[in-house]
Amino acid sequence: MKIAVLSDIHGNLEALEAVISDLKMQGADRVICLGDNIGYGPDPEEVVQLIQNLGYESILGNHEFALMDQRGRRWFNFQATENSIETEKLLSTESRKYCCTLPSFLEIGNAHFVHGYPPVSVFRYLNRQSDEKIVSLFKKTSADIYFLGHTHTLQLVTCRDQVVYRRSLGQEKNILQPGSKYIVNGGSVGQPRDGDNRAKYLLWDYRNCELEVRFIDYDRGLTMKKIRERCFPEIYAMRLR
């Protein structure tokens, strides 16, 4: 059984379409989106509609939370707050309702899926959690693997003998040891912040305990052009360059 994990699409239709094309060749049995399907990018409505039409499952991200409860915008910087307001205007009533009713987490077998940090936070960042907090998480929860996004970077975290190990993820396949516990940060489909501007998503082979990051190129220039045409902040285009 293969589960594809997509995080932080951020209204980037071209990136999502490229990922979907690759997914068709990988044979994923299930697709989970880790939230922030909207925000920053120029096509939030088209992204939300496509996710629903394909039957992908999704959880709540902080950008969806900001639609549901505008107090969530207090966590944004000024540019992101303004962008959240403009993004909301681009969404249909049906898409806003969909975004506002997403669950805060999903559990599938021994896996826990959340946008920010377990168990339910859409705001907390993995890279701001101390080793002590991660050790405590592994001790007090039953899940063996946590999938999360929010940071827009790729990272694998594990713990042995109460020592936390963190490393970045590349294109090689990773074998996850049965009985061990992991946190996997899935990077970003539509707004990566790790120096590699290709779209990225995870392919988790549940039965064979294999984890692969897929790096997918796409027409970033078209997305950048659309961001500028919408007069969104230039930084959202430059991150894709």
Side-chain angles (χ1 to χ4, degrees), residues 85-97:
I85 294 169
E86 293 304 310
T87 292
E88 184 171 9
K89 295 176 184 177
L90 295 172
L91 292 168
S92 65
T93 301
E94 293 76 14
S95 291
R96 286 197 297 272
K97 181 178 179 181

Side-chain angles (χ1 to χ4, degrees), residues 38-233:
I38 61 172
Y40 304 146
D43 294 309
E45 175 69 13
E46 291 80 1
V47 165
V48 169
Q49 289 294 324
L50 187 53
I51 288 170
Q52 292 182 87
N53 291 341
L54 291 171
Y56 293 175
E57 299 167 83
S58 184
I59 58 175
L60 189 75
N62 57 301
H63 282 257
E64 286 88 8
F65 182 91
L67 295 180
M68 179 178 67
D69 187 337
Q70 294 188 4
R71 290 175 297 177
R73 290 174 179 163
R74 296 176 185 172
W75 294 77
F76 293 156
N77 60 36
F78 173 78
Q79 286 181 322
T81 299
E82 291 296 307
N83 179 260
S84 179
I85 294 169
E86 293 304 310
T87 292
E88 184 171 9
K89 295 176 184 177
L90 295 172
L91 292 168
S92 65
T93 301
E94 293 76 14
S95 291
R96 286 197 297 272
K97 181 178 179 181
Y98 167 81
C99 290
C100 292
T101 55
L102 292 171
S104 56
F105 70 95
L106 286 175
E107 290 183 336
I108 301 173
N110 66 337
H112 187 104
F113 301 80
V114 64
H115 179 70
Y117 191 76
V120 297
S121 177
V122 299
F123 294 110
R124 293 172 66 190
Y125 289 91
L126 171 62
N127 55 12
R128 297 179 185 174
Q129 306 308 309
S130 67
D131 288 359
E132 290 77 14
K133 287 183 179 179
I134 290 173
V135 169
S136 175
L137 173 72
F138 284 151
K139 279 185 174 180
K140 70 183 182 183
T141 55
S142 59
D144 290 332
I145 184 166
Y146 300 89
F147 289 98
L148 36 112
H150 197 33
T151 70
H152 298 210
T153 58
L154 293 161
Q155 191 175 50
L156 181 69
V157 179
T158 190
C159 179
R160 291 192 298 275
D161 299 324
Q162 299 192 42
V163 177
V164 173
Y165 298 88
R166 310 175 192 234
R167 67 175 177 86
S168 60
L169 286 167
Q171 297 187 60
E172 73 281 356
K173 286 189 177 181
N174 298 269
I175 304 300
L176 305 182
Q177 300 300 320
S180 296
K181 292 199 173 189
Y182 297 90
I183 301 173
V184 185
N185 197 306
S188 174
V189 171
Q191 274 272 315
R193 298 175 184 171
D194 56 7
D196 185 321
N197 290 333
R198 289 175 288 179
K200 303 169 188 78
Y201 75 95
L202 303 173
L203 198 61
W204 178 40
D205 188 328
Y206 179 85
R207 290 195 177 92
N208 294 321
C209 299
E210 289 184 353
L211 179 70
E212 180 183 3
V213 184
R214 302 289 299 172
F215 289 69
I216 311 300
D217 212 347
Y218 67 97
D219 188 352
R220 296 190 298 275
L222 176 56
T223 309
M224 293 169 70
K225 178 175 181 288
K226 290 159 73 173
I227 288 172
R228 289 170 176 142
E229 288 174 346
R230 293 207 183 277
C231 298
F232 283 1

